[in-house]
Amino acid sequence: MSTAILTGQPVPGSSIEGDLRSLGFDVKVAVDAADAERMVAEAPCDQRVSLVDARFVGHVHSLRLGLTDPRFPLAALPGAVTAQPDGRVPLTRALARENSAGGGTAVAVNSVPDRVVTALADDGADVYRPELGSLVAAVPADPQARNEARQAVADVDDEAVRLKSAVKSRDGFFTTHFISPYSRYIARWCARRGLTPNQVTTASLITALVAATCAATGTRPGFIAAGLLLIASFVLDCVDGQIARYALQYSTLGAWLDATFDRAKEYAYYAGLALGAARGGDDVWALALGAMVLQTCRHVVDFAFNEANHDATANTSPTAALSGKLDSVGWTVWVRRMIVLPIGERWAMIAVLTAVTTPRITFYALLVGCAFAATYTTAGRVLRSLTRKAQRTDRAAQAQALADLADNGPLAGLLARVSRAPLGGPLVAALGGTVILAVALFSGVTWAPVAGAVVYADAAGQALYRPLKGALDWLVPPLFRAAEYGTVLILAARADVNGALPAAFGLVAAVAYHHYDTVYRIRGNAGAPPAWLVRAIGGHEGRTLLVTVLAVLLTASQFTVALTVLAVAVALLVLVESIRFWVSSGAPAVHDEGEPA
């Protein structure tokens, strides 16, 4: 159980002890600051400890936000400070210094928690302060101020605020207007009955897999059921995050589930549609794989651009200024969010088209919509990058995340050291290698794809020979993703044998999982996957060369078997390492609160 230590002069009629106990704290009362320091030292080292001014007046949800969020080692709000085990050392040091300066008895003069927070800031500690909005959190200095604070508490319904804040602050039109108005109440119902975000996330995955199974039947009733279940899965997908925000139930395992299941659900549904179409005599596996490739590349563009401009001091480009002006006109905000086809709009479109049309039409609409969205967002980001005047932060300037996302293997490094060819800047090298590979794939010459893959591998090494610090170097990882996935798609389609494209779908899905896993590790400041894993699965250039060699040396049927074996091998390696990492105690609790995917 977490410990809360009340400091300062008790106030008759205060509800602070009961409020803290309702949040799961074991409440202790310190007679002076020295006693508070002793109690902090005696509190179990593996549990949270909080210092709270006994004069605190505020909403229970203010205390919940400030003292129970598991994502931050140190957190504070007016009159209270808390530390998880990782934050105990700086908290103890700051408290000891404040006691020494104040003689150890000045608990009634100034707020001990607030003085400790000031000392933590002086030490350079990162103390999280939640956004309270209309919620009240104060330490009144006199009876009049206390009465005013109590009146302010009575004027605001903290449960209504809590319920509203459970909804993601920035979301798509469909989610905001068609899902969140009722899903937040489902989230509260689940939270009050002890259901966790991870349980709801798992239910969402199961629902989506059942939807994919229904789509795989190839019948109209099956397609209708699939569309309805896909929407139900999306509702649950919204609910799990809303439970996490409502109850502050963030976890490392939840981070992994939340980061991967959305993609698993969507791509499994693509496979189900393709299987259903095949039952009706229509082969749309190439379209399904193309949709997965396009969607994955879109996500890589999103992350690479954001990482290249991570925490930039300002966005002074004319493109950004125009975007800001458009956002000032209410209706344009929703239009611009819809045309990028975020997950809500995308899944709604897929569900409706599945129910009323055919898998082929569904994939055509998906490809057109995603292609337009990708063109729109990428063009805007290119313009922002070319006209940006803001200074990059050290993290962005180092560009290590972009290099990790590129996923170069040992072959690229070896060829780059051997050739040392002057291929220009990183983007020029990557673009040149990709173009040569594409030309080789469509040349019709038997061994040309292999030669193209060798040149591509060398270009990949040249692209990362220097840091990715150029204005457009964030395009290098998306180029590599498009080149590798596109190679597998083209060669499988050219094999023209049953099973080749489904095997290619499985291989791209396994590799894409590895790339998504890399993204979310970097977002959690945990670095890229271990080097041994990248070497074991060959890097993007090694896999591309291997697939081209297999396509040349083997018959179409043998090539299909080889793709299947490769898909299984890659999937086993990346899944085992990913699961080991995300369920470990050192994995970051990453929860995406940004733009919808």
Side-chain angles (χ1 to χ4, degrees), residues 23-41:
L23 296 176
F25 284 97
D26 178 21
V27 181
K28 300 179 182 298
V29 179
V31 297
D32 56 27
D35 195 31
E37 182 180 353
R38 177 185 60 79
M39 289 181 176
V40 168

Side-chain angles (χ1 to χ4, degrees), residues 253-508:
L253 178 60
W256 175 63
L257 297 176
D258 186 60
T260 57
F261 276 15
D262 279 353
R263 304 288 79 78
K265 289 180 287 190
E266 184 167 359
Y267 298 158
Y269 192 83
Y270 292 177
L273 276 179
L275 287 170
R279 286 179 177 273
D282 190 12
D283 186 353
V284 297
W285 275 106
L287 297 178
L289 180 51
M292 181 167 65
V293 169
L294 180 56
Q295 191 59 32
T296 303
C297 289
R298 281 186 63 196
H299 288 144
V300 177
V301 166
D302 293 343
F303 175 73
F305 174 79
N306 291 333
E307 187 61 35
N309 298 282
H310 180 80
D311 290 341
T313 53
N315 192 335
T316 55
S317 70
T319 307
L322 176 60
S323 178
K325 291 180 180 179
L326 290 175
D327 281 345
S328 65
V329 182
W331 64 270
T332 65
V333 175
W334 292 117
V335 170
R336 294 171 67 214
R337 289 188 190 180
M338 291 174 66
I339 62 177
V340 300
L341 211 61
I343 187 170
E345 277 75 0
R346 191 167 68 250
W347 282 27
M349 180 186 75
I350 293 171
V352 171
L353 291 178
T354 298
V356 301
T357 65
T358 65
R360 179 172 291 273
I361 293 176
T362 301
F363 280 123
Y364 280 153
L366 182 62
L367 286 166
V368 171
C370 287
F372 176 80
T375 302
Y376 170 79
T377 56
T378 304
R381 287 167 177 171
V382 167
L383 289 174
R384 289 188 184 209
S385 298
L386 292 175
T387 57
R388 176 181 287 276
K389 300 177 183 178
Q391 195 71 26
R392 284 185 170 186
T393 62
D394 290 340
R395 170 173 164 175
Q398 289 170 359
Q400 184 56 46
L402 293 178
D404 292 335
L405 189 61
D407 193 34
N408 269 12
L411 179 61
L414 175 63
L415 290 176
R417 288 193 296 271
V418 171
S419 66
R420 295 178 180 266
L423 294 177
L427 180 59
V428 173
L431 184 60
T434 301
V435 170
I436 291 173
L437 175 61
V439 171
L441 287 170
F442 289 104
S443 67
V445 180
T446 302
W447 282 92
V450 176
V454 172
V455 174
Y456 170 74
D458 179 57
Q462 295 292 337
L464 266 66
Y465 195 74
R466 294 169 294 277
L468 302 178
K469 295 182 179 180
L472 296 179
D473 284 352
W474 54 270
L475 286 169
V476 170
L479 274 174
F480 288 161
R481 298 295 81 77
E484 179 185 0
Y485 301 161
T487 297
V488 176
L489 169 59
I490 292 168
L491 293 178
R494 185 174 297 169
D496 196 23
V497 63
N498 287 337
L501 281 167
F505 189 96
L507 176 58
V508 171

